[in-house]
Amino acid sequence: MSIFNASRLLGKTVLVTGASAGIGAATALLFAKGGSNVILVARRAEAVKSVADACAAAFEASGLKQGGRFAAIQLDVSDKAQVASFWDKVPQDLRNVDILVNNAGFVLGVDQVGNIKDDDIEAMFSTNVLGLISVTQLLIKDFKAKQSGHVINLGSIAGREPYAGGSIYTATKHAVHAFTASMMRELVNTPIRVTEIQPGMVETEFSIVRFRGDTSSAKKVYDGLEPLTATDIAEEIVWAAARPPHVNIAEVLVLPVNQASTTLNYRKPS
């Protein structure tokens, strides 16, 4: 018997936001390998189409006979009009979603309070908080109607512990934590599951975006230690989704072994 039983994912339909790269792309790929159907959503149309093609190839290689339907949809979750018309873009046979993975989110800059640009504040809150809420509200009524479903939100260790230079990003992730925890309490009388995955240091495009394309500064964030990978977090997401229906993984805090908090880590001397 497999230690990680993924058979419960066969034929399930999963919606993953921010699926064009990083954790979102790795998550979509892993669900594809597990025999799920996946709706991949992201702002970058060509990138998300490429990930969808990789999902199709991974499913084909798996030899599984259930699942294997994929759709790549261009969507900016911060755009209310786009979210409102989302179902118009989804193929009919993929509209019965079982699992929502709210992964879309980003951080901009390391500016401290007083020097943060209004546009950066609005951009982070619009995607990380308002976009996540909008997509969740789009699906939760269907989940309630059919009395099944699973919402998996990507939080962060920053949603537990603030740090200097990250006031806006940590505020957005604190909001995600509060929203997720409240929703879980609201749904306690239903079979609907609610999970928050809280990664620590993960090496993806995250830091490159934070430093506005400065790859040298982004790389220094991980100097001297081995950070998590996108696949590490994808495995936690898929594992949580594959638990028995009566098991809800409420929160998972995932850190690299040399990180203990947002600011406490050990780096090997160079």
Side-chain angles (χ1 to χ4, degrees), residues 52-189:
D53 290 343
C55 286
F59 173 78
E60 185 69 23
S62 74
L64 296 170
K65 302 303 180 184
Q66 289 180 265
R69 299 196 302 277
F70 306 100
I73 296 176
Q74 184 179 22
L75 176 73
D76 181 349
V77 300
S78 70
D79 187 320
K80 293 179 181 179
Q82 289 188 33
V83 173
S85 62
F86 172 71
W87 291 120
D88 296 339
K89 301 179 181 179
V90 180
Q92 191 67 42
D93 62 348
L94 289 177
R95 292 186 182 181
N96 185 21
V97 175
D98 299 290
I99 301 163
L100 166 62
V101 181
N102 276 314
N103 166 74
F106 65 96
V107 60
L108 281 173
V110 291
D111 303 300
Q112 298 197 357
V113 176
N115 296 317
I116 308 169
K117 297 177 181 178
D118 287 345
D119 287 349
D120 290 349
I121 296 170
E122 292 174 10
M124 283 185 271
F125 267 96
S126 293
T127 296
N128 300 4
V129 182
L130 301 181
L132 180 146
I133 292 172
S134 294
V135 175
T136 302
Q137 294 216 118
L138 190 69
L139 272 77
I140 202 68
K141 289 182 180 179
D142 289 341
F143 285 1
K144 288 180 178 179
K146 66 182 183 180
Q147 285 292 287
S148 68
H150 193 171
V151 179
I152 303 177
N153 289 338
L154 264 292
S156 170
I157 187 175
R160 290 172 169 251
E161 179 186 0
Y163 57 88
S167 59
I168 304 305
Y169 178 71
T170 59
T172 68
K173 290 303 181 179
H174 273 69
V176 168
H177 174 66
F179 175 77
T180 306
S182 294
M183 180 168 56
M184 184 176 69
R185 287 156 174 78
E186 291 176 359
L187 296 171
V188 71
N189 63 336

Side-chain angles (χ1 to χ4, degrees), residues 178-206:
F179 175 77
T180 306
S182 294
M183 180 168 56
M184 184 176 69
R185 287 156 174 78
E186 291 176 359
L187 296 171
V188 71
N189 63 336
T190 77
I192 301 167
R193 300 189 291 180
V194 179
T195 299
E196 183 184 0
I197 307 293
Q198 303 163 336
M201 299 171 74
V202 186
E203 188 170 13
T204 61
E205 294 180 352
F206 181 85

